Amino acid sequence: MTWIERAALFSPLDYAAIAILLGAWLWIGWKIEHPSPQKPSVALVMDGYRRDWMHEMVTRQPRMFDAQVVAAMRQGSTFFASTTMIAIGGGLALLGNTERLAGVATDLAIGSAPAMVWEIKILVVVLLLANAFLKYVWAHRLFGYCAVLMASVPNDPEDPNAYPRAGQAAEICVTAARSFNRGLRATYFALASLAWFLGPMALVLGTMITFGVLYRREFASHSRAILTAQTSNTET
C-alpha cells in the first residue's frame, strides 16, 4: 500500500481533528510558559516560589526538609515515567493485534476500518506517551542535579558562594519542573487522543475538554488565586 493510499483511508475531518489536537497541545504549552505579565500561569508563579525556597534554604539548618522535598519530586517523576513506559508497552502490544481491535470496534458499532487505520491511531497515542516519557526522565535527572547543587551550598551564609550556588540550584529546579509539566501535558493529550477511536468529532471534543481543563488550572483555578494572593501579600 502506497502512502497516497494510506492517506486516503482518513477523511479531511480526521486530518483537521489531528491538527486541532497538535495545535492545542503546542499552544497551551507555549501560553503556560510565556503568559502575559498581568496574568501569570500557575507554573510561572511556582517558579518564583522555587527561587524563594532555594534562597531560604541557605540559612535553614538542618536542611532535611529541603532534601525530603527534592526526594518527593524525584519520586513523582519516577512514578510517571514508569507508568508511561507501561502504557507505551501496552500500545505497542496493540499495534501487533489491530485485527482483533478492528473486530471489537465493529462489534461495538464504533465503525469498520482497515487495520492500518487503527495502527495509526494507536501510534499517535504512543508517540505522545513517548514524548511524555522523555520529559519525565529528563525531569528526574535534573532533580538529581538540583539535589547535588543543594548539597554543595555552603552552610555559612556569609560564604560568597552560598547564594550564587543556591541560585544555580533554583534554576535547575525550575528547568526540571518545566520538563515535568511538559510531560504531564503530553500525557493529558495522549489521553485525549484516545477519543479518536470513536471518530474525529470525538477527538475534537476530547481535545477541547483537555485544553479547557489545562487552561483553567493554570489561569482560572482556586489554587492559582491562593498562590497569587500569597505572592501579593509577600511583596507588600
Side-chain angles (χ1 to χ4, degrees), residues 81 83-93 125-131 133:
T83 303
T84 305
M85 182 178 290
I86 294 172
I88 292 172
L92 294 177
V125 180
V126 171
L127 289 176
L128 286 169
L129 290 174
N131 179 274
F133 172 75

Side-chain angles (χ1 to χ4, degrees), residues 76-77 80 135-136 139 143 175-184:
S77 59
F80 279 101
K135 298 300 182 184
Y136 292 138
F143 282 132
T175 305
R178 185 179 299 122
S179 182
F180 183 78
N181 289 334
R182 288 173 179 175
L184 285 177

Side-chain angles (χ1 to χ4, degrees), residues 24-36 41 185 219:
W25 173 38
L26 296 174
W27 189 88
I28 193 65
W30 180 86
K31 182 64 175 178
I32 289 172
E33 295 179 6
H34 303 86
S36 64
S41 62
R185 289 194 294 272
F219 296 101

Side-chain angles (χ1 to χ4, degrees), residues 1-12 14-15 18 113-121 123 196:
M1 182 179 291
T2 64
W3 284 105
I4 296 177
E5 291 173 334
R6 292 174 182 176
L9 295 174
F10 298 93
S11 67
D14 284 305
Y15 290 109
I18 284 295
M116 177 66 68
V117 171
W118 300 107
E119 289 175 359
I120 293 176
K121 290 182 178 182
L123 190 60
W196 197 13

Side-chain angles (χ1 to χ4, degrees), residues 36-77:
S36 64
Q38 294 76 22
K39 192 174 184 180
S41 62
V42 170
L44 201 66
V45 173
M46 288 303 301
D47 288 346
Y49 278 107
R50 289 185 178 90
R51 295 184 176 97
D52 292 342
W53 166 30
M54 294 302 168
H55 188 273
E56 292 296 326
M57 180 202 64
V58 175
T59 57
R60 183 163 30 238
Q61 297 296 337
R63 296 173 180 170
M64 291 300 298
F65 171 78
D66 307 286
Q68 290 173 352
V69 173
V70 175
M73 291 189 294
R74 295 198 76 189
Q75 289 174 357
S77 59

